Amino acid sequence: ALLPGSGAVAYRLAQFRNQFLVPADKREAVFARALEECKTRSLAHWTMPENENLRVEWSRDINEPWHTFEGSGQSVLMINPLSMGYLSSALDVACHETYPGHHAQYVFLEQALSGQELLVEDTLTLLRSPESALREGAASYSVDLLFPQDERTQFETEVLGPLAGLGSLDIEKYNQVRVLLDQIALATIPILRDYSDRSIPQATATFRLEREALVPSPNQLIAFSEQYGAYAASYTLARARIGAYVRDQAAEQGEDPWVVLKRLIQTNDLSVLNYGVAD
């Protein structure tokens, strides 16, 4: 209903989203402003050590944004400008990878482990692990916690959109579509499960991902799930369960959701990945 017209919904969606592509020469400036806002808003809820720092490096030698925690509160985030095409990517990546996402997560983990003698294996993070699924899900959820839809729409309309030269477009509608896409993304889980179990062939999985979940690059998602297994569910299923847990805990215990989220990060409470699942 938001995207009337002829053709499949996936086609109309692609046509609509392409209006919000940020010109290549403006992507670094848009991202820098988004990162600044993510940090400012995060520090209104969390206190971080004075020595913490994150630096950003732009490179086409990587495909997707990649965060590395170097220790002592220091991180580096590498970004390929080609992966930062859409306006929504600026806040999504900035918040997810830095504040209150991965950089903040590892700073807090380092604080929690301060004074402990760590084995070499304790200084590494396995990508295909429940711990990584927890952190990815928490980082994805934290974007919504930091920027409720109305505040995000206002910031993108008044700040990022004009900075990107997209100030005349309907960013409110863009965010309505984005929220619906986040919700429908859960539809990818049973499709990827059935493909992984070899219950359906790749051609069927590709067709269903595109038609039922509106995935723009279904073969790319299938390749990602084949490489990383259930970790691929971090961005959808883990995000939903962590969000439900934080909201419920905050309501039931009368706690600030930011306090609940920080405790979850520092304690590595993996039980939250099964939150809401019956025994």
Side-chain angles (χ1 to χ4, degrees):
L2 280 172
L3 304 175
S6 60
V9 177
Y11 171 78
R12 302 202 303 268
L13 174 63
Q15 293 292 102
F16 174 73
R17 292 184 72 199
N18 284 343
Q19 301 175 72
F20 295 87
L21 282 170
V22 178
D25 62 341
K26 297 181 183 297
R27 292 178 186 177
E28 291 190 27
V30 170
F31 180 80
R33 183 63 185 89
L35 175 55
E36 178 187 14
E37 189 71 14
C38 291
K39 182 175 183 178
T40 298
R41 291 185 178 224
S42 296
L43 294 183
H45 300 280
W46 286 341
T47 300
M48 300 186 68
E50 292 184 1
N51 71 319
E52 65 84 16
N53 183 60
L54 175 128
R55 71 179 188 275
V56 177
E57 296 180 359
W58 294 84
S59 171
R60 296 198 179 188
D61 294 334
I62 58 169
N63 293 323
E64 300 295 335
W66 190 260
H67 163 267
T68 302
F69 185 67
E70 299 179 326
S72 301
Q74 310 300 302
S75 288
V76 58
L77 173 62
M78 298 186 67
I79 307 177
N80 185 330
L82 297 179
S83 70
M84 298 294 294
Y86 295 110
L87 181 65
S88 59
S89 299
L91 281 181
D92 284 340
V93 173
C95 294
H96 181 105
E97 300 290 348
T98 67
Y99 310 86
H102 293 321
H103 171 65
Q105 289 174 355
Y106 282 99
V107 169
F108 289 147
L109 278 172
E110 189 174 51
Q111 282 184 322
L113 296 171
S114 177
Q116 298 184 33
E117 185 175 351
L118 300 179
L119 300 173
V120 172
E121 55 267 33
D122 293 328
T123 66
L124 304 175
T125 295
L126 297 178
L127 197 59
R128 293 184 62 157
S129 68
E131 290 81 5
S132 285
L134 173 67
R135 290 169 199 150
E136 291 294 350
S140 295
Y141 164 69
S142 68
V143 181
D144 299 327
L145 183 61
L146 192 64
F147 279 95
Q149 185 178 355
D150 57 342
E151 294 184 27
R152 177 167 182 158
T153 296
Q154 181 180 6
F155 180 69
E156 290 181 335
T157 299
E158 297 178 357
V159 180
L160 296 188
L163 189 60
L166 306 175
S168 62
L169 297 177
D170 189 350
I171 293 177
E172 181 176 5
K173 182 176 179 179
Y174 179 64
N175 273 319
Q176 290 176 324
V177 170
R178 178 188 57 79
V179 170
L180 291 174
L181 286 174
D182 285 345
Q183 293 173 359
I184 203 174
L186 286 167
T188 62
I189 301 300
I191 300 171
L192 292 173
R193 176 203 61 203
D194 290 348
Y195 171 72
S196 179
D197 291 343
R198 298 300 182 256
S199 299
I200 58 175
Q202 182 168 344
T204 301
T206 299
F207 176 79
R208 289 182 58 191
L209 285 170
E210 187 173 37
R211 292 298 297 272
E212 297 174 24
L214 299 179
V215 175
S217 304
N219 286 319
Q220 185 176 349
L221 178 58
I222 288 173
F224 184 85
S225 68
E226 286 187 320
Q227 182 175 359
Y228 295 111
Y231 170 79
S234 303
Y235 305 93
T236 50
L237 197 58
R239 171 186 182 174
R241 291 179 179 174
I242 289 171
Y245 173 83
V246 172
R247 288 190 296 270
D248 289 351
Q249 284 291 302
E252 293 170 8
Q253 305 300 326
E255 287 187 291
D256 184 336
W258 288 93
V259 173
V260 178
L261 182 61
K262 181 178 178 181
R263 183 170 62 243
L264 184 64
I265 292 168
Q266 287 189 309
T267 59
N268 263 334
D269 184 2
L270 300 178
S271 66
V272 74
L273 295 176
N274 289 318
Y275 186 72
V277 179
D279 292 336

